[in-house]
Every structure is written in structure tokens, then in C-alpha cells.
Amino acid sequence: MRVFRNLDEISRNNGTVLTVGTFDGVHLGHKHIFDKILETADQKNMRSVVVTFHPHPRIVVSKNYDLKLLTTFDEKVEALSKTGIDNLVVVNFNYEFSKLTSRQFIEEYLVNKIGLSEFVIGHDHKFGKDRGGDENTLKELGAKLNFKVVTVNPVDVDSELISSTKIRNALGSGNLFLANKFLGRYYSFEGKVVKGATRGRILGFPTANLNIENEYKLIPKAGVYAVKCKFKNEIVYGVMNIGYRPTFVDDGELSLEAHLFDFDGNLYGELLKVELVKRLRDEKKFNSKEELIYQIEHDKRLAIRELGK
């Protein structure tokens, strides 16, 4: 997949089938749209294009909105690269851009700069200033500007429609199973391994302490998770605690600590990608060190069973 950060870099070609959106999470509902684009592009010998925005529009237009992203920009690009789409166009979303009407955006950006034959959208697609553009607006513009609009039906899992908002809510409430099902993959995040208080090593369970640099990245509900971790070209499995360490200190600072199975290397300074496979339990406060150690041993056994290790 070719990534264009400047519209001047991509050649204009009317033989283009495309879609536009933020696509946070790149979930199964989004994939349904991409599959339709690929099917059309293959049948009609056209190029496939996805147009997205960076930063996320809410960061620009809703300063006080508590935005939490399922995918950082780099994670979104990585996920999109696995869909089979040929080209990704990234539009710099700033205050001036946010003032464009839906017609201005379609005509100036998509028709005049990229070229457009078919526009594939989801059932609830909104775009342009104040999200004033919808399916009817697009069809009116398509008739005037000579492109076809194709609407893709919503995707449901167990009779529930998929959306990024529902995935965020599921992660926030601890329903990792539903979030992973809607995503079509394990929810993940990446962080740099930093030095911690070494309590885990003292207890006999050394941990990798993660620092998530992106302030907008959604961290799921506090609790204990079975995880699959990747760093460099190595894959290791473990159990992670996301929470506030109430047994030792409750300073309100969230910590992410992973105990990795059968690993004794030095990870300080390394980037560690963590995939959440299974949520095991809520975080809890223990009355003694011995009680905590017993619970960690139990968590480890349960995680090993869940991970098939």
C-alpha cells in the first residue's frame, strides 16, 4: 500500500474507487467497505483508494472532548496495509479544513485532485462541515460531478451492529471478548519498557512496565489480562495487570505491567506491542504479600491455559 501525505503526490485518475473516513479501529465493519472497494476495483480495473484524516477531527473541532482512540495513526496505517487497498491518502485535518462544506471537499479534493468514478460509503456516512454531508448529499453531487455512490450495508455480530463507539464502550467496561470480536483481531497497544519499582521481581514475578506515549490511546478497564507480546522479531506470552496497584500504593497513576513467561532478557528501552487475548479478572487489593503472590500464581496458570501455552 502506498501512503500519500500530500495530495500533490498522487496522480489524478478518474478510474478510482474510494472511500473516506477516520476508520478508528479498522474494525470488521470498515473491512466490509474495503472489501467492496477491492471487489469493484478488480472487476472494473480501477485503483483502490482510502482517504483518511490526521489528526483525528475531534482533536481539532472539539477541544474539550475526551477523545480515546482505538488506533493511533501508525496503528491505523498498519491495519489498513493488511486490507489489500492500493493507496492511502492522508489529509491534514486542521481548523481551516474543518470549515470546508461537503461539496467543497468532494469537488476540490476527491474529484479535482484524486479523481473519482465510484464512492463507497457505510450506511451512516457523514462528512464535511458539521458533518452536514450524507448519502443523499453524495448522490446529488455524484449526479452533477459524474461519479457513482455505492452504500454498503451495516455489519452485525450476533445481531448487534459494529461501530467504533461500541468497541470503545466494550473496552471501557471490561468486555474484551466483544471488542475483539468486533475488531476481528486482538485489541493492542504499544509502549516503551521503562524502569518500575521492581516490586514484581521482589515477589518472584518480574514485570515489564510500559509507558504509552500517545495520550489519546484508549487503555481498557483496569484488570488482569492474558497477553501476547511482540518486540523486534520475537513473540512472548504473559499476564498483564492494568491498574493502580492498590495493594502497594494508590496514587491514582495508571500502570501497565506485564509478566512474561519463559523470558529473562533485558527489555528496558524496547518497544513492546501487547495484544490482549483474554480478560481474566478485575484488579483488587490484597491484605498481604502472601495473598498477592498466591493470586499471581493463579493468574499465571489461568493465562497459560487460556493462551494454550
Side-chain angles (χ1 to χ4, degrees):
M1 182 181 72
R2 297 185 64 188
V3 180
F4 299 91
R5 298 295 297 265
N6 188 325
L7 279 173
D8 294 332
E9 297 174 356
I10 187 169
S11 60
R12 187 180 181 282
N13 185 343
N14 282 336
T16 298
V17 54
L18 61 70
T19 190
V20 176
T22 54
F23 304 115
D24 185 33
V26 193
H27 54 62
L28 291 180
H30 298 144
K31 187 175 183 299
H32 195 50
I33 295 173
F34 304 146
D35 286 346
K36 180 61 178 177
I37 290 175
L38 293 170
E39 176 188 338
T40 303
D42 183 60
Q43 290 176 349
K44 300 184 178 182
N45 194 28
M46 294 192 291
R47 66 177 180 177
S48 58
V49 175
V50 168
V51 180
T52 193
F53 309 104
H54 183 68
H56 192 288
R58 284 197 180 275
I59 295 175
V60 176
V61 301
S62 305
K63 297 293 186 182
N64 297 321
Y65 186 83
D66 185 23
L67 177 69
K68 293 300 178 186
L69 296 176
L70 299 172
T71 43
T72 64
F73 177 73
D74 289 341
E75 288 170 341
K76 181 164 65 172
V77 172
E78 180 183 2
L80 286 169
S81 71
K82 297 175 181 178
T83 63
I85 294 293
D86 297 328
N87 305 281
L88 173 64
V89 176
V90 183
V91 175
N92 177 30
F93 196 97
N94 53 33
Y95 182 75
E96 291 73 22
F97 180 85
S98 72
K99 297 303 179 183
L100 291 179
T101 65
S102 53
R103 182 185 179 99
Q104 286 174 317
F105 171 65
I106 296 296
E107 190 166 8
E108 295 176 20
Y109 281 74
L110 303 188
V111 174
N112 292 342
K113 293 188 176 182
I114 297 175
L116 176 59
S117 176
E118 294 197 23
F119 195 149
V120 180
I121 60 172
H123 71 288
D124 57 351
H125 187 83
K126 302 285 186 181
F127 63 96
K129 182 181 178 181
D130 299 323
R131 293 172 61 81
D134 58 12
E135 181 179 353
N136 292 329
T137 305
L138 268 180
K139 287 184 176 179
E140 290 174 7
L141 289 172
K144 295 175 182 178
L145 300 173
N146 197 32
F147 64 83
K148 179 182 177 181
V149 177
V150 178
T151 304
V152 174
N153 292 327
V155 178
D156 69 86
V157 172
D158 298 333
S159 300
E160 186 169 1
L161 296 184
I162 298 173
S163 74
S164 298
T165 297
K166 288 181 180 179
I167 296 172
R168 293 187 196 101
N169 291 339
L171 290 168
S173 65
N175 192 346
L176 178 67
F177 177 79
L178 182 64
N180 285 347
K181 182 181 282 191
F182 280 4
L183 286 168
R185 64 181 185 280
Y186 298 131
Y187 184 69
S188 66
F189 45 80
E190 186 176 73
K192 183 175 290 187
V193 179
V194 297
K195 286 186 177 295
T198 69
R199 293 191 184 95
R201 187 171 296 278
I202 293 171
L203 294 173
F205 300 94
T207 59
N209 297 265
L210 258 63
N211 176 43
I212 309 298
E213 295 182 351
N214 191 308
E215 62 180 306
Y216 298 109
K217 178 66 177 179
L218 188 153
I219 304 301
K221 183 180 180 182
V224 177
Y225 296 80
V227 296
K228 176 182 178 180
C229 301
K230 300 178 181 178
F231 67 97
K232 295 182 178 178
N233 295 319
E234 191 166 353
I235 295 177
V236 289
Y237 296 86
V239 59
M240 167 169 270
N241 184 78
I242 298 176
Y244 301 91
R245 299 165 293 189
T247 301
F248 297 104
V249 57
D250 192 359
D251 56 7
E253 184 177 346
L254 184 69
S255 70
L256 297 89
E257 304 175 66
H259 171 62
L260 306 179
F261 307 147
D262 303 318
F263 182 83
D264 195 29
N266 184 355
L267 287 175
Y268 289 136
E270 296 284 357
L271 282 177
L272 189 69
K273 179 179 179 180
V274 178
E275 296 181 348
L276 302 181
V277 177
K278 174 85 173 183
R279 190 173 192 273
L280 304 179
R281 64 172 175 86
D282 287 336
E283 186 181 41
K284 60 185 291 187
K285 183 175 182 177
F286 297 94
N287 297 317
S288 66
K289 181 177 72 173
E290 289 73 25
E291 189 178 326
L292 174 58
I293 291 173
Y294 178 83
Q295 182 64 57
I296 295 174
E297 289 174 339
H298 175 76
D299 293 338
K300 183 175 179 179
R301 289 194 298 271
L302 183 57
I304 289 172
R305 187 178 73 193
E306 293 290 347
L307 294 165
K309 297 296 139 185

